[in-house]
Amino acid sequence: MPHISNNGVSIFYRVLPQTGAEASASNPPLLLLHGFMQQSNDWFDAGYVDPLNVARDLLLVDARGHGLSDKPHGVADYRMELLVADLQAVMDQSELAQVDFMGYSFGAWVGFGMVHFAPERLRSLVLGGMHPYVRDPGPLNRRIDRFTRTRDALAAGGHHADLIPDAVKSQFEHNDIEALISLTTAIRESEGFESALDRLTARALIYAGENDPACSQARECVSGHESMEFLSLPELGHMDAWRRNELVLPHIQRFFDG
């Protein structure tokens, strides 16, 4: 399976040649980046890969800290410039000067980081369920606290571990809790990337469910930027807008066709 090493951190990726009969030489591959605690396989499971793969090559990446990529434990290992450098290393290995980029939630957060650190590598972006502004520390602090207590209980074993619901335990079967705590801490400490939008020349579609806490700021970031458009999805929350691909994909395909 293909991996690329970026300063000693191994990043897993895969390239899927388009399945449709007619190729378009004008379209670069579409890079897909998953959400927090997900991995590239989730694009398959959620039903995105087959429709998108018909018309174009896909490049799927496991972000550091997830899936088959390395999971370092230092907060500094998850600085945005490193997350972006991982994607650039994958693109360089694949001999790609530019990609179209699609990310959801954490993947969209990294997409805004790409706008900040590597805008020349982007032809267009589709970013869902996220905004580029400094993140509210409250939910992130609660996540860190919850993960820390879970980590400590699992390490203690015995009745401490027995108190953790099976559903919570299953979340961490394929995840490294320490890496996720460090990643969340790095997100909490980030200064945001809204200033980069003023330099954005690539077309961008930003979308969110209307019941997603990120919706209002996702809508706000589009204001004043002619190359960006916003799509709201009525009555959908954060994960609903990810799962209901039948509602999202027509808009995404329209955007790329345009």
Side-chain angles (χ1 to χ4, degrees), residues 8 23 31 44 46 63 66 73 81 85-86 106 130 135 144 162 165 167 189 191 193 203 215 217 230 242 247:
L31 192 158
F44 291 90
H66 297 79
H73 287 178
E81 57 264 39
D86 291 341
F106 164 71
M130 188 48 62
R135 302 283 289 275
I144 292 169
D162 293 339
E189 295 176 354
E191 297 180 353
F193 311 104
R203 295 171 58 243
C215 185
Q217 289 180 290
F230 179 74
W242 158 258
L247 301 178

Side-chain angles (χ1 to χ4, degrees), residues 126-168:
V126 173
L127 306 178
M130 188 48 62
H131 58 77
Y133 303 106
V134 174
R135 302 283 289 275
D136 179 357
L140 298 172
N141 285 333
R142 289 191 290 273
R143 180 195 294 171
I144 292 169
D145 179 66
R146 184 173 68 253
F147 284 11
T148 300
R149 287 187 283 108
T150 300
R151 177 201 63 193
D152 293 346
L154 289 173
H159 75 279
H160 299 284
D162 293 339
L163 294 175
I164 301 174
D166 290 340
V168 174

Side-chain angles (χ1 to χ4, degrees), residues 39-83:
Q39 55 186 310
S40 54
N41 282 343
D42 287 282
W43 291 105
F44 291 90
D45 297 339
Y48 286 88
V49 168
D50 287 346
L52 293 171
N53 202 194
V54 170
R56 62 196 310 155
D57 297 344
L58 300 183
L59 181 61
L60 289 83
V61 182
D62 284 354
R64 63 169 62 197
H66 297 79
L68 297 178
S69 292
D70 281 350
K71 304 172 179 66
H73 287 178
V75 173
D77 293 313
Y78 295 96
R79 299 190 312 273
M80 181 58 77
E81 57 264 39
L82 297 180
L83 297 171

Side-chain angles (χ1 to χ4, degrees), residues 199-221:
R199 303 190 300 272
L200 180 65
T201 57
R203 295 171 58 243
L205 171 65
I206 313 297
Y207 72 95
E210 288 185 355
N211 295 335
D212 187 337
C215 185
S216 61
Q217 289 180 290
R219 186 194 307 271
E220 178 185 345
C221 80

